[in-house]
Amino acid sequence: MKKSIKAVSTSTYIHFPKWLDEPAEYKEFVVLDDQVSVQDVDSFIIGLFYFNNWFNLGDAQESFQFLLQKMEEGIILGGGLLFSDGTQNIPPSCCCGLEDWREQVDGCLNNRSPWLGHQPSPSIQFTEEKIYVWPNDYTGEYDKNVHVEKMTPIEYEPNTFRQMILNIEKDIVSFVKGPLTSRIHSLCRADAGKIIDSISSWLSI
């Protein structure tokens, strides 16, 4: 089983406008790297609109103008770190934001379990021999009703875990500078540079 740790954005199951390419099959998350499809990129884009309360998607130019303005105030997008062993996925939960990915990475690199959302509350246990990523709060601190004996964590070797975490930034940069930049240029060429610069700044890359 191939284990991985990836940055993801949360997808939204809403109607796509004609100028975006709707996926044939709904995905709960979009993995952010340079291997994504156009449909995945469009799912990321529509998530930016949805999470920031823009539903008037009839015109691409108008929609991106809204996004540029909103970015000056500060935007949000559901997402964060997704842990997987090829069989089990442990995704970020409710209220976890992609914009906080650096805080999540910093916690992982410094043996602190970062906040990854709630209901459930994914948590990370650090030991000298292994690192365990639990699908819910294994300590019972935030949810007294969690039954640890009914959960199966994903186990990582510490060195492998650290390297995967360090690769997160490279993946996000490759996504923004590659597929996302290409797609924004095809959708809104006049403001493409401003949009990509704003997204890069928002993601702290």
Side-chain angles (χ1 to χ4, degrees):
M1 295 182 293
K2 187 175 181 180
K3 298 177 183 179
S4 64
I5 306 172
K6 293 287 187 176
V8 298
S9 67
T10 303
S11 298
T12 55
Y13 193 66
I14 62 174
H15 178 69
F16 276 52
K18 292 181 179 180
W19 49 272
L20 288 177
D21 194 355
E22 185 169 3
E25 182 178 347
Y26 173 74
K27 294 181 180 179
E28 188 177 0
F29 298 97
V30 173
V31 174
L32 305 185
D33 59 23
D34 60 0
Q35 301 301 308
V36 295
S37 67
V38 171
Q39 290 85 359
D40 288 337
V41 176
D42 285 0
S43 293
F44 173 87
I45 291 171
I46 204 169
L48 290 174
F49 296 129
Y50 175 82
F51 275 91
N52 295 285
N53 301 315
W54 179 255
F55 308 108
N56 182 23
L57 295 168
D59 180 78
Q61 186 74 28
E62 182 182 2
S63 296
F64 282 113
Q65 283 294 327
F66 161 82
L67 191 61
L68 283 171
Q69 180 180 354
K70 193 71 175 179
M71 281 184 172
E72 295 179 1
E73 306 167 12
I75 64 171
I76 60 172
L77 178 59
L81 301 186
L82 169 71
F83 303 85
S84 178
D85 63 4
T87 300
Q88 179 181 201
N89 290 328
I90 301 179
S93 290
C94 180
C95 299
C96 189
L98 177 62
E99 62 275 7
D100 297 324
W101 73 271
R102 282 199 179 276
E103 293 181 21
Q104 297 164 31
V105 163
D106 182 69
C108 290
L109 292 177
N110 289 281
N111 293 353
R112 300 191 310 269
S113 183
W115 192 78
L116 296 168
H118 66 98
Q119 295 180 330
S121 301
S123 56
I124 305 177
Q125 179 184 10
F126 296 89
T127 71
E128 289 187 6
E129 295 80 18
K130 297 279 187 178
I131 294 173
Y132 303 91
V133 180
W134 295 84
N136 205 347
D137 176 29
Y138 76 96
T139 67
E141 180 179 357
Y142 301 105
D143 188 345
K144 304 299 183 184
N145 297 316
V146 171
H147 298 283
V148 176
E149 68 277 5
K150 295 182 179 180
M151 296 193 297
T152 302
I154 297 175
E155 299 180 14
Y156 295 88
E157 297 293 336
N159 289 339
T160 301
F161 180 88
R162 181 177 180 83
Q163 189 56 56
M164 288 181 178
I165 291 294
L166 288 171
N167 285 339
I168 294 292
E169 180 172 9
K170 181 184 69 175
D171 285 342
I172 293 176
V173 170
S174 71
F175 168 75
V176 172
K177 302 303 182 185
L180 183 60
T181 293
S182 177
R183 188 60 171 149
I184 295 294
H185 271 279
S186 71
L187 294 171
C188 189
R189 180 172 298 275
D191 292 318
K194 292 180 183 179
I195 296 166
I196 292 300
D197 287 347
S198 294
I199 291 175
S200 297
S201 178
W202 166 64
L203 287 172
S204 303
I205 59 173

